[in-house]
Amino acid sequence: MREDVENLDITDVTANWVNAAVLQHQIDERIKALADLSHTPLFFGRLDYLHAPGADKAEGAEGERFYIGRRHVHDAEGDPMVIDWRAPVSQPFYRASKKDPMDVGLRRRFGYTSGDLTAYEDEHLSDPSEAAATNKLLQQEIERPRVGPMRDIVATIQPEQDEIVRAGLTGSVCVQGGPGTGKTAVGLHRVAYLLYAHRERLARTGTLVIGPNKSFLHYIEQVLPALGELEVKQATVDDLVAHVEVRGTDDATAAVVKGDARMAEVLRRAVRSHVTLPTEGVVVVRGSRRWRVPAYELETIVGELLDRDIRYGAAREALPQRIAHAVLVQMERSGEAPDDRVQDAVARNTAVKAAVKAIWPPVDPAKLVLRLLTDADFLAVHADGILDEDEQKEILWSKPVRSVKSAKWSPADAVLIDEATDLVQRTHSLGHVVLDEAQDLSPMQYRAVGRRCTTGSATVLGDLAQGTTPWATRSWDEALAHLGKGEAVIEELTAGFRVPTDVIAYASRLLPHIAPGLTPVASVRENPGFFEVRPTTADEQVVDACEELLRNEGSVGLIAADARIPALTEALAAAGLTYLGPGEETTAQTRLTLVPASLAKGLEYDYVVLDEPQAVVDGEPDERTGLRRLYVALTRAVSGLTVTHAAPLPQQLA
């Protein structure tokens, strides 16, 4: 298939060089999408239907066999050899069961080792005499060691995950999922499915995956290309709102106030305050005639624009046309017959432009936010009845700032500027947005993401128990309201495929303290996993624990409080152990990664050494946030966890 595309001759099929360039780009992208992936088989399953799909199921009708894979594969004649996992005919591979065989006689799963076919396992779904059994190949695939970036799960998607993956494009979905339930994979595979089912529409409107940080995005960036999808953009929330250079930070209290949804109304008031009702009329001179629009008529026009509550910039662009229209009405009454060209000329008249500048001056969003944060009186006027005096003092900068460029903007300030920018000019909306680790977003950040999908849909992924910011989400209903997707369906994934039973049971001791009422994850892994709590007296013993785990196959993560990283860096160097940073791809030679607890979210390793749990808790502004950070760190292991500690463990783990 790839060679066919590479051998295409477009010499005589394009009208000009522009068409040729566009077509060549499309061909290049197609070749990339058809690239071979080492150790990735073209098919992983087979379905033997009792009857051909769509055919009359009358007695004697012949069945049909389909091989299921990551992408569609056809032979030289164009006949299908492998069916794309997203096709409707592939759905029973994930959904069919003994109770509901979906007209499937046999489901076969294939097992591979380094790309070689080594095993297969059959289920005769329509045979009542065959008892349902645990699928060993499925378990092996789930428990396979994690080396390198995140991989796709097309061979192991479960029925409850498949329902979310194949949900329609028009509706938004929120997935609450504990550690290891596959929510990130579900979100990425949902994008792949939507691109398959609605390719033309999403090609026009665009798709975007939003992650918590660059390390996380680097970890997941190969999943969609492995499924043949190359056009999906990835970004963090900070990337979306990068109108200014971020060089500063806020303390927790100020960040909470700036991230509060009430700030949206403060900004709206501040933007609209620039509008000044006219006190004088406008006189337009055209040839020997003078046309006057009185102040009361201008005031009516301005009032109508304000009442429509459209974007500040759009209203400013409409104002000269509305004034010009009022002049044209007078012209028509006097017997003239002006056309659209006359109206445009009047709108560009010097007197009209001067009136617009006085009534509806341009607004620079960054300068507006800077004034709010540095001018106590300006903030007090527009925050009156919204923020109390203490809250206003928290967000006011103590030192004067000369300009927007010299200001040390914080991440929360950048979100405020993005909100102000949208009040002036509408933000471009995409067709579909996936928002991962959503529980850590502030209400204002939710609004920033929601602006990117006002005319599209969203897939929101997160775990309330893993909220590690002081403004972390309290409920999904509240979060979805800020996102502008209050109608979204909330799904919960509770089956854990990644974290071993003993590890998740230990971590779940924290749930009553960090997210009471949340359903604990139930591990479906047959392997209980390795788990140990080990007292230590020196950093060398932490390194020893890493060396022990490195004797196993797979990756090892050493997770520690951010403040402990320098000491552990020295200890690893003294022992001669090479290591990677979070998000860097592990290799056969270097399988150890040193991970600050603040960057552990979303990452996974076969084995984890968690250093000093109490230090992880103490590294956060409050105990609940610290315990949530600890919960995240405890649940990064796929096969085994060693907890090392010199200080006493947090009492919540007792």
Side-chain angles (χ1 to χ4, degrees):
M1 288 169 66
R2 186 173 64 253
E3 286 171 0
D4 287 345
V5 180
E6 288 172 340
N7 294 330
L8 286 174
D9 184 0
I10 63 171
T11 307
D12 299 323
V13 298
T14 53
N16 52 52
W17 70 269
V18 177
N19 288 349
V22 171
L23 185 54
Q24 188 59 53
H25 173 73
Q26 292 174 340
I27 289 172
D28 293 342
E29 290 298 298
R30 176 68 173 158
I31 292 170
K32 285 181 189 176
L34 289 170
D36 285 323
L37 300 173
S38 60
H39 308 320
T40 302
L42 286 176
F43 62 91
F44 50 80
R46 192 183 100 190
L47 289 176
D48 290 4
Y49 277 86
L50 297 175
H51 309 89
D56 184 8
K57 293 183 171 55
E59 190 174 344
E62 291 187 10
E64 200 166 352
R65 174 177 296 171
F66 298 95
Y67 285 84
I68 312 300
R70 284 167 175 77
R71 60 182 322 118
H72 170 83
V73 181
H74 61 247
D75 62 17
E77 281 72 44
D79 294 324
M81 299 175 68
V82 178
I83 305 298
D84 194 301
W85 65 277
R86 298 167 286 189
V89 77
S90 304
Q91 190 172 13
F93 186 78
Y94 304 107
R95 300 272 187 98
S97 64
K98 280 284 186 179
K99 290 183 179 179
D100 182 14
M102 301 177 71
D103 200 43
V104 173
L106 177 137
R107 173 169 55 198
R108 173 170 290 178
R109 297 180 190 273
F110 296 98
Y112 293 84
T113 303
S114 298
D116 295 326
L117 177 63
T118 53
Y120 68 87
E121 196 168 48
D122 289 347
E123 298 171 86
H124 296 87
L125 298 175
S126 299
D127 184 356
S129 64
E130 181 180 277
T134 302
N135 193 296
K136 292 182 180 178
L137 286 181
L138 188 63
Q139 283 290 336
Q140 288 172 9
E141 177 63 22
I142 290 172
E143 297 180 12
R144 189 154 56 95
R146 261 74 169 164
V147 176
M150 183 179 180
R151 56 178 183 258
D152 66 71
I153 61 162
V154 287
T156 61
I157 293 173
Q158 298 300 292
E160 64 273 18
Q161 296 174 325
D162 190 64
E163 287 186 24
I164 298 169
V165 167
R166 295 177 192 265
L169 175 62
T170 55
S172 294
V173 180
C174 175
V175 182
Q176 158 63 40
T181 54
K183 57 185 179 294
T184 297
V186 165
L188 295 175
H189 287 67
R190 174 159 162 72
V191 171
Y193 171 76
L194 292 175
L195 285 167
Y196 173 87
H198 308 277
R199 189 166 301 281
E200 287 189 11
R201 179 175 171 182
L202 289 177
R204 292 193 309 270
T205 56
T207 51
L208 175 67
V209 174
I210 302 173
N213 51 57
K214 295 291 187 184
S215 299
F216 178 84
L217 292 177
H218 182 69
Y219 177 62
I220 68 169
E221 68 183 357
Q222 294 304 317
V223 174
L224 288 168
L227 300 174
E229 301 299 344
L230 307 173
E231 299 300 319
V232 180
K233 292 181 171 59
Q234 298 182 347
T236 64
V237 174
D238 290 344
D239 293 333
L240 297 183
V241 299
H243 303 285
V244 291
E245 182 183 358
V246 173
R247 296 182 296 147
T249 56
D250 289 310
D251 61 40
T253 308
V256 169
V257 177
K258 289 179 181 179
D260 195 298
R262 293 175 297 163
M263 286 300 299
E265 177 59 22
V266 176
L267 289 166
R268 194 185 76 87
R269 287 183 182 181
V271 168
R272 289 167 68 95
S273 71
H274 289 76
V275 178
T276 305
L277 292 178
T279 55
E280 296 180 357
V282 175
V283 178
V284 176
V285 178
R286 281 185 63 80
S288 61
R289 301 294 300 272
R290 296 163 62 89
W291 308 97
R292 186 173 187 278
V293 182
Y296 72 85
E297 191 170 349
L298 288 176
E299 189 172 332
T300 301
I301 293 172
V302 172
E304 287 174 353
L305 288 172
L306 287 170
D307 290 342
R308 287 177 61 191
D309 203 24
I310 58 177
R311 296 297 191 280
Y312 185 92
R316 187 172 188 275
E317 290 172 5
L319 181 57
Q321 290 291 336
R322 296 291 295 274
I323 295 172
H325 177 73
V327 172
L328 258 66
V329 169
Q330 293 183 33
M331 289 181 177
E332 289 170 350
R333 286 174 182 164
S334 69
E336 294 188 21
D339 55 17
D340 291 343
R341 288 175 298 176
V342 175
Q343 179 166 331
D344 289 339
V346 173
R348 294 193 300 270
N349 182 274
T350 305
V352 173
K353 289 164 72 173
V356 170
K357 186 176 181 180
I359 297 168
W360 214 291
V363 169
D364 182 303
K367 288 181 179 178
L368 174 77
V369 174
L370 183 64
R371 187 178 176 191
L372 276 172
L373 298 177
T374 55
D375 186 335
D377 294 335
F378 186 67
L379 176 63
V381 169
H382 301 299
D384 183 40
I386 301 175
L387 304 179
D388 62 34
E389 289 186 12
D390 290 338
E391 289 172 322
Q392 292 177 35
K393 288 177 182 176
E394 283 292 341
I395 65 174
L396 276 170
W397 293 356
S398 55
K399 296 180 181 178
V401 178
R402 290 183 180 179
S403 66
V404 168
K405 286 189 176 181
S406 65
K408 290 189 176 180
W409 299 105
S410 70
D413 297 332
V415 178
L416 295 179
I417 294 171
D418 188 70
E419 179 84 27
T421 302
D422 183 70
L423 289 167
V424 174
Q425 205 72 41
R426 184 181 295 278
T427 304
H428 174 67
S429 175
L430 299 164
H432 191 78
V433 169
V434 174
L435 175 60
D436 204 355
E437 300 295 349
Q439 71 280 346
D440 273 342
L441 268 60
S442 70
M444 290 298 285
Q445 287 176 315
Y446 276 116
R447 290 176 61 90
V449 174
R451 286 192 283 279
R452 271 76 186 178
C453 55
T454 50
T455 58
S457 55
T459 299
V460 181
L461 312 165
D463 179 12
L464 296 178
Q466 295 186 60
T468 51
T469 54
W471 51 83
T473 302
R474 291 188 290 267
S475 78
W476 290 123
D477 286 333
E478 181 182 318
L480 292 169
H482 293 311
L483 193 69
K485 303 294 179 186
E487 79 292 346
V489 176
I490 301 175
E491 304 280 0
E492 188 170 8
L493 296 175
T494 57
F497 303 98
R498 173 170 57 77
V499 187
T501 304
D502 292 352
V503 174
I504 196 64
Y506 185 71
S508 293
R509 295 180 183 182
L510 298 175
L511 282 181
H513 308 282
I514 60 176
L518 208 61
T519 305
V521 172
S523 178
V524 298
R525 296 171 63 111
E526 291 188 331
N527 179 5
F530 169 79
F531 174 66
E532 179 188 15
V533 178
R534 181 185 297 184
T536 59
T537 55
D539 292 340
E540 289 74 18
Q541 292 172 291
V542 179
V543 176
D544 291 342
C546 294
E547 291 178 322
E548 290 173 23
L549 293 180
L550 283 168
R551 294 178 193 136
N552 301 306
E553 182 186 4
S555 57
V556 176
L558 171 55
I559 303 177
D562 292 32
R564 288 273 296 148
I565 295 298
L568 292 175
T569 299
E570 290 183 11
L572 290 170
L577 268 184
T578 58
Y579 61 90
L580 302 165
E584 294 181 7
E585 190 171 329
T586 53
T587 64
Q589 292 73 36
T590 307
R591 295 181 290 120
L592 175 65
T593 305
L594 178 59
V595 187
S598 61
L599 296 180
K601 189 167 296 178
L603 305 180
E604 58 183 35
Y605 304 93
D606 285 292
Y607 295 90
V608 167
V609 175
L610 175 59
D611 170 74
E612 293 296 352
Q614 188 60 54
V616 174
V617 178
D618 293 341
E620 300 299 328
D622 58 84
E623 186 180 59
R624 190 183 77 156
T625 304
L627 290 173
R628 286 182 166 184
R629 182 76 72 189
L630 177 58
Y631 181 75
V632 171
L634 284 168
T635 53
R636 300 303 97 199
V638 174
S639 299
L641 170 68
T642 298
V643 178
T644 60
H645 67 102
L649 292 170
Q651 60 181 10
Q652 292 84 354
L653 286 176

